Amino acid sequence: DTEVTQTPKHLVMGMTNKKSLKCEQHMGHRAMYWYKQKAKKPPELMFVYSYEKLSINESVPSRFSPECPNSSLLNLHLHALQPEDSALYLCASVGQGEVGTDTQYFGPGTRLTVL
Amino acid sequence: GEDVEQSLFLSVREGDSSVINCTYTDSSSTYLYWYKQEPGAGLQLLTYIFSNMDMKQDQRLTVLLNKKDKHLSLRIADTQTGDSAIYFCISGTASKLTFGTGTRLQVTL
């Protein structure tokens, strides 16, 4: 199983709402990532969790709050977002897979629209 | 910081070969990766090459690496409409990826 799952697939929220994005992997990977991807741009790294501890925060605004409840699950809590936060949010995990070396495996993403 | 550059767009006819080029600056990269992203989807690892290799072939895919010039290319033989996507050239390590801008491949009939 080399799958990273993300829910929901689409999310529309107002600027006063609180919502959460969820990411799950059962590959035994110990590092998990959140990326933000705007249209026609490459993904931008937001957060990295390594062994369930936050290891990298790329100066992301506090309205984005990551959480890693266990080694298989990564959440991104959203509060008081702005319309410019609308994007595709991608989760990834790192580990050895079929290629025989450490690789990043990406989920399908959550398409977020902030009204 | 490290940089990876790619052309933005490539159009090929179905059945022809596609060649997507990339230049990078990070000489310490252990691996160089090609990922594919279909519209509205996540990124899928296509192939990778170890930095001490010159070439890697995997079915329709051929990766060429010129380490001296820091130039990487991806050749797709017999391009199909299902190959239409954005292709990202990526340097770095599995823990820290440096993404290229992505090349949009359009396959025409």
Side-chain angles (χ1 to χ4, degrees):
Chain A
D1 180 12
T2 56
E3 191 179 25
V4 177
T5 59
Q6 290 188 243
T7 54
K9 192 172 172 61
H10 300 278
L11 178 62
V12 179
M13 60 186 290
M15 290 189 283
T16 58
N17 292 157
K18 285 186 182 180
K19 297 285 185 183
S20 296
L21 309 184
K22 179 179 170 182
C23 172
E24 205 160 358
Q25 56 86 15
H26 296 284
M27 297 179 278
H29 293 174
R30 294 304 185 185
M32 295 183 75
Y33 297 64
W34 280 115
Y35 289 87
K36 173 183 177 180
Q37 186 180 24
K38 300 285 275 184
K40 300 184 180 180
K41 297 288 186 184
E44 297 174 5
L45 183 64
M46 299 175 73
F47 302 104
V48 180
Y49 271 82
S50 181
Y51 291 91
E52 301 167 48
K53 291 191 184 331
L54 182 64
S55 60
I56 295 177
N57 176 341
E58 293 283 354
S59 303
V60 179
S62 59
R63 57 186 184 268
F64 295 92
S65 175
E67 179 198 18
C68 189
N70 59 60
S71 60
S72 299
L73 189 56
L74 185 65
N75 298 320
L76 186 63
H77 303 298
L78 314 172
H79 174 54
L81 294 193
Q82 304 297 310
E84 60 264 28
D85 296 322
S86 299
L88 181 68
Y89 288 83
L90 293 164
C91 174
S93 67
V94 169
Q96 287 233 348
E98 296 167 356
V99 299
T101 186
D102 275 0
T103 309
Q104 279 204 25
Y105 292 87
F106 285 82
T110 293
R111 173 72 60 190
L112 174 67
T113 303
V114 182
L115 301 176
Chain B
E2 304 303 340
D3 192 30
V4 179
E5 293 192 0
Q6 302 176 237
S7 54
L8 291 180
F9 183 77
L10 175 66
S11 182
V12 298
R13 287 189 181 177
E14 190 178 37
D16 288 351
S17 291
S18 308
V19 179
I20 302 172
N21 294 301
C22 149
T23 57
Y24 61 96
T25 59
D26 183 2
S27 57
S28 66
S29 290
T30 308
Y31 293 94
L32 293 144
Y33 306 88
W34 285 102
Y35 277 78
K36 174 184 179 183
Q37 186 176 33
E38 296 182 10
L43 277 74
Q44 171 195 355
L45 176 66
L46 269 185
T47 187
Y48 69 98
I49 188 167
F50 191 45
S51 59
N52 69 354
M53 296 170 66
D54 298 323
M55 184 182 88
K56 180 178 180 183
Q57 187 144 8
D58 184 2
Q59 299 182 336
R60 292 191 298 124
L61 305 178
T62 303
V63 179
L64 295 177
L65 174 60
N66 181 327
K67 198 171 180 181
K68 174 176 168 288
D69 294 337
K70 296 182 184 171
H71 182 267
L72 185 72
S73 68
L74 173 69
R75 179 177 180 269
I76 306 173
D78 187 25
T79 311
Q80 303 297 306
T81 55
D83 295 323
S84 294
I86 298 175
Y87 291 80
F88 287 100
C89 171
I90 299 173
S91 70
T93 66
S95 303
K96 179 83 169 111
L97 302 180
T98 299
F99 288 81
T101 50
T103 299
R104 180 177 297 276
L105 175 63
Q106 178 185 67
V107 182
T108 60
L109 297 173

